[in-house]
Amino acid sequence: MASSYRLFALLAETQPDGAALARRLADLDAESLLGLSADVVDAGADVRESWEGPLDTDGKSYWSEGSTENLTDWIVAQGEAFWRTAVGATDEQLMAIAPEYHRERGGGNSSRWNGRTPSLRGLLFSAYKARFADGENYFEGLSRVLDERFSEDD
């Protein structure tokens, strides 16, 4: 079953070439970029809400909100198949993924992208700001799209 997130179709078309992804984003209109940005937020939350960080393998500390968001964004950027394996993951399952994430963040190469995994939020923000800086503020637009999705779900 395919995801309803349009982001995954775009990732499937461009992976493993991060430059191809950036080029595709540069051609999209403002609403498409905001919709894809909302996909990153929502798909990450499907893995784990950022404020519910997993318990680290040492069993003594929970991941911070920022660290959890970075991990879930990285999981989303790996593509739909990898993301699906992490949706609703337990702390133990997320900690089993963490070594690959840490290896790459420490300077290693991605096993699914040429070089490093692209920062989806960063690419989307940059593409939006480069072309639509005079329009709606990116973060206000993203909040609007997320609010519209939330209203549709009610």
Side-chain angles (χ1 to χ4, degrees), residues 6 29-39 124 128 136-142 144-145 149:
R6 294 169 301 204
D29 62 65
E31 284 304 304
S32 294
L33 291 169
L34 292 171
L36 292 171
S37 296
D39 285 353
L124 288 158
Y128 186 92
E136 182 177 34
N137 174 281
Y138 172 81
F139 296 105
E140 291 172 3
L142 176 57
R144 176 182 51 77
V145 171
R149 285 184 180 187

Side-chain angles (χ1 to χ4, degrees), residues 47-126:
V47 173
R48 177 70 62 102
E49 294 288 356
S50 61
W51 58 84
E52 295 180 359
L55 182 63
D56 208 328
T57 52
D58 65 10
K60 297 178 185 169
S61 62
Y62 287 90
W63 282 37
S64 70
E65 188 172 335
S67 295
T68 303
E69 185 177 277
N70 290 339
L71 174 64
T72 59
D73 286 356
W74 179 87
I75 289 169
V76 170
Q78 302 312 307
E80 186 173 5
F82 190 89
W83 167 78
R84 282 189 179 282
T85 67
V87 169
T90 64
D91 290 354
E92 293 80 14
Q93 290 167 322
L94 287 177
M95 289 301 94
I97 293 169
E100 181 181 355
Y101 165 74
H102 286 305
R103 180 189 52 75
E104 186 178 332
R105 286 188 54 111
N109 286 330
S110 171
S111 45
R112 291 167 205 84
W113 289 91
N114 294 336
R116 306 272 313 267
T117 299
S119 167
L120 297 178
R121 288 183 195 234
L123 285 173
L124 288 158
F125 174 79
S126 294

Side-chain angles (χ1 to χ4, degrees), residues 14-26 113-114 116 118 123:
T14 57
Q15 203 170 18
D17 186 355
L21 174 60
R23 285 190 302 273
R24 289 286 303 279
L25 293 176
W113 289 91
N114 294 336
R116 306 272 313 267
L123 285 173

